[in-house]
């Protein structure tokens, strides 16, 4: 492709009064491509952000995998089994915990709560990420019947630090008859941030204290497994669960919270398909502009052929003209999309300040703001998609231009 082709293509891009409508159609297609690129990059970044938060926020607290008792008699954690788990290269840590579901009673108010008995290692490996305050566990360990409560429970139930509240735990019998619940008075020593719905259902006590309430000495209710890669959970928990010597249930995060990850992937796919179609429609508007341009410039094409331009030269001129609009739209859209993706949290914060309302509630979702994580691979794929579709869109008009007969347009 010689410099002559580039020079003619450059001249064709310069609008004049005779082809103002063609220029308008071309500008519309450029704007559509830019808008599609910007929105696609932004939404893919938001999906990346949600996936990142899922891995690093929700999955830092939700058990990756666990084996737990089928009744209230607990499990005997055999040392050989625990050693086998801890020596697995996919396993980061193994926790022996007690968990129970019960009711908190404050005055006439009652609230269902999931109580976890923890030790310092569990707090430092799992809860510290969200709370970022090691003193919280110190407060808990200093009071034998201390209780850390999710911040939503504290707010909704009107509870204050230092309050005494009653915990009711269900009791089971061999003949399945009703029995009076186990009762204990707990002192609220702090507020716990666990993210999303966990703030509305989680309570934390000392592991040894909960074991005493449950009547355990050398047993636990749960063996919780933290993995280096949470996506290994489904396979790993079944590998060890089926070889566990006692009757027990097994579960992993894909069963309890896997729908969140599946929803993110589904939305990502839908977003990509829809916005790729938007970009395709905008790109194919180039066809209309180029076809009209071919008809408008048919005499000029004939002159070019007369002075020696080949069919390939003519076709290349119109391909370059169409690609110019596609690349211009892609460049503008990419810059706008990247800037929006990089500064989305700040933009959302500004909108919240201006409107005086919270756009995204951390009490509902597992993150307190709309996350955004730019992946440059998404940017490259988006720009490549525009280039490919724009090139395809120019082929038909370029062929029409190349087929113009000089003798038919010089009279």
């Amino acid at each position: 492709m010689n410099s002559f082709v580039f020079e003619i293509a450059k001249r064709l891009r310069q609008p004049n009064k005779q082809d103002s409508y063609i220029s308008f159609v071309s500008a519309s297609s450029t704007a559509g491509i830019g808008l599609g690129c910007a929105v696609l990059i932004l939404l893919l970044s938001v999906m990346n952000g949600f996936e990142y938060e899922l891995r690093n926020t929700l999955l830092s607290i939700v058990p990756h995998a666990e084996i737990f008792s089928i009744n209230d008699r607990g499990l005997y954690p055999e040392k050989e089994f625990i050693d086998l788990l801890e020596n697995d290269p996919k396993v980061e840590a193994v926790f022996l915990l007690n968990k129970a579901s019960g009711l908190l009673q404050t005055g006439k108010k009652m609230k269902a709560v999931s109580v976890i008995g923890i030790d310092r290692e569990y707090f430092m490996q799992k809860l510290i990420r969200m709370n970022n305050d090691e003193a919280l566990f110190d407060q808990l360990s200093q009071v034998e019947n201390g209780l850390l409560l999710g911040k939503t429970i504290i707010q909704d139930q009107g509870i204050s630090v230092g309050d005494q509240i009653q915990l009711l735990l269900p009791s089971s019998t061999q003949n399945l008859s009703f029995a009076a619940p186990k009762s204990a008075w707990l002192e609220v020593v702090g507020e716990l941030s666990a993210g999303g719905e966990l703030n509305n259902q989680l309570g934390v006590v000392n592991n040894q204290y909960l074991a005493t309430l449950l009547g355990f000495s050398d047993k636990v209710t749960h063996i919780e497994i933290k993995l280096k890669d949470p996506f290994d959970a489904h396979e790993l928990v079944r590998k060890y669960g089926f070889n566990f010597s006692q009757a027990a249930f097994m579960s992993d995060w894909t069963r309890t919270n896997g729908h969140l990850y599946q929803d993110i992937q589904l939305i990502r796919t839908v977003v990509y398909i829809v916005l790729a179609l938007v970009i395709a429609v905008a790109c194919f508007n180039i066809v209309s502009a180029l076809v009209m341009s071919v008809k408008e410039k048919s005499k000029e094409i004939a002159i070019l052929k007369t002075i020696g331009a080949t069919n390939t030269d003519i076709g290349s001129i119109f391909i370059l003209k169409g690609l110019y609009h596609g690349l211009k739209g892609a460049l503008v859209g990419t810059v706008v999309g990247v800037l929006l993706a990089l500064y989305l949290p700040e933009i959302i914060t500004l909108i919240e300040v201006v409107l005086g309302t919270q756009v995204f509630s951390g009490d509902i979702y597992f993150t307190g703001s709309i996350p955004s994580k730019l992946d440059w691979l998404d940017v490259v794929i988006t720009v490549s998609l525009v280039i490919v579709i724009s090139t395809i869109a120019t082929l038909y008009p370029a062929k029409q231009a190349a087929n113009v007969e000089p003798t038919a347009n010089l009279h």
Side-chain angles (χ1 to χ4, degrees):
M1 193 177 295
N2 53 48
S3 58
F4 163 77
V5 171
F6 284 99
E7 182 63 28
I8 299 299
K10 180 180 178 182
R11 289 177 178 273
L12 280 177
R13 294 199 303 267
Q14 298 173 355
N16 53 56
K17 293 182 180 179
Q18 284 73 31
D19 55 10
S20 57
Y21 179 71
I22 298 175
S23 299
F24 172 76
V25 174
S26 299
S28 298
S29 64
T30 301
I33 293 169
L35 180 62
C37 284
V39 175
L40 181 56
I41 291 171
L42 176 60
L43 292 184
L44 288 177
S45 298
V46 170
M47 292 301 103
N48 292 336
F50 274 113
E51 185 174 340
Y52 178 83
E53 291 295 329
L54 175 68
R55 283 175 173 264
N56 293 275
T57 301
L58 182 65
L59 291 184
S60 68
I61 295 178
V62 170
H64 294 170
E66 55 185 352
I67 298 170
F68 54 97
S69 174
I70 62 175
N71 51 45
D72 61 356
R73 281 172 274 180
L75 301 172
Y76 291 98
E78 298 172 350
K79 186 177 185 306
E80 295 79 6
F81 181 78
I82 302 302
D83 289 341
L84 192 64
L85 272 175
E86 292 177 336
N87 291 328
D88 192 305
K90 295 181 179 180
V91 175
E92 183 174 336
V94 178
F95 305 104
L96 305 179
L97 304 172
N98 290 297
K99 300 183 182 182
S101 298
L103 291 174
L104 287 180
Q105 183 171 5
T106 54
K108 295 183 179 180
K109 296 180 179 179
M110 301 195 78
K111 169 66 180 176
V113 66
S114 177
V115 182
I116 304 178
I118 69 168
D119 54 19
R120 181 176 292 276
E121 181 186 4
Y122 187 89
F123 183 86
M124 295 304 296
Q125 289 216 30
K126 302 203 68 175
L127 300 181
I128 192 68
R129 182 188 295 271
M130 295 290 289
N131 298 274
N132 198 27
D133 186 4
E134 190 175 348
L136 266 180
F137 186 81
D138 295 332
Q139 297 168 10
L140 181 66
S141 59
Q142 288 168 7
V143 180
E144 181 185 7
N145 64 336
L147 171 67
L148 294 174
L149 271 181
K151 64 179 183 179
T152 305
I153 299 177
I154 288 180
Q155 294 169 1
D156 292 348
Q157 301 298 313
I159 299 171
S160 301
V161 173
D163 286 355
Q164 298 283 334
I165 59 178
Q166 189 176 22
L167 173 66
L168 303 175
L169 298 177
S171 297
S172 63
T173 59
Q174 294 293 332
N175 59 4
L176 301 181
S177 61
F178 289 102
K182 300 173 184 177
S183 175
W185 284 92
L186 306 177
E187 180 181 338
V188 179
V189 296
E191 180 182 286
L192 190 69
S193 177
E197 278 299 305
L198 290 176
N199 284 334
N200 192 39
Q201 62 188 39
L202 187 62
V204 171
V205 298
N206 284 295
N207 194 35
Q208 189 56 50
Y209 180 74
L210 183 56
T212 302
L213 288 181
L214 296 174
F216 293 165
S217 56
D218 56 349
K219 294 185 292 184
V220 295
T221 61
H222 287 66
I223 300 173
E224 186 175 316
I225 308 166
K226 182 180 180 183
L227 302 174
K228 294 175 182 177
D229 183 357
F231 291 91
D232 291 331
H234 183 81
E235 178 184 351
L236 186 135
V237 74
R238 281 153 182 79
K239 169 185 172 182
Y240 288 100
F242 287 130
N243 294 318
F244 193 56
S245 60
Q246 305 163 47
F249 292 124
M250 54 186 173
S251 180
D252 63 88
W253 74 270
T254 61
R255 189 184 68 84
T256 57
N257 292 276
H259 62 282
L260 294 174
Y261 180 76
Q262 293 167 358
D263 290 347
I264 291 172
Q265 299 307 312
L266 176 62
I267 294 172
R268 184 201 300 275
T269 303
V270 171
V271 163
Y272 213 102
I273 292 174
V274 171
L275 290 177
L277 291 175
V278 170
I279 292 174
V281 170
C283 286
F284 279 103
N285 281 338
I286 296 174
V287 176
S288 302
L290 289 180
V291 167
M292 289 186 288
S293 182
V294 169
K295 291 183 178 180
E296 182 75 22
K297 303 294 184 182
S298 58
K299 290 185 178 181
E300 287 83 349
I301 294 171
I303 293 172
L304 289 173
K305 283 194 169 186
T306 301
I307 63 176
T310 65
N311 288 349
T312 301
D313 291 335
I314 300 299
S316 298
I317 289 170
F318 283 89
I319 288 176
L320 287 175
K321 185 176 187 298
L323 272 178
Y324 166 78
H325 295 293
L327 290 175
K328 182 179 178 181
L331 177 62
V332 174
T334 298
V335 171
V336 173
V338 167
L339 290 176
L340 288 174
L342 290 175
Y343 296 101
L344 182 62
E346 289 79 5
I347 295 172
I348 296 298
T349 301
L350 179 61
I351 293 174
E352 290 178 341
V353 171
V354 172
L355 298 180
T357 185
Q358 189 173 14
V359 176
F360 207 76
S361 175
D363 294 335
I364 299 174
Y365 305 99
F366 57 86
T367 178
S369 61
I370 298 179
S372 177
K373 191 173 187 297
L374 181 65
D375 186 344
W376 289 104
L377 180 60
D378 290 335
V379 176
V380 172
I381 292 175
T382 301
V383 174
S384 300
L385 179 69
V386 172
I387 293 174
V388 170
I389 297 178
S390 297
T391 303
I392 294 173
T394 61
L395 296 180
Y396 174 75
K399 182 179 179 181
Q400 293 294 104
N403 289 336
V404 171
E405 295 292 338
T407 55
N409 294 279
L410 290 176
H411 58 275

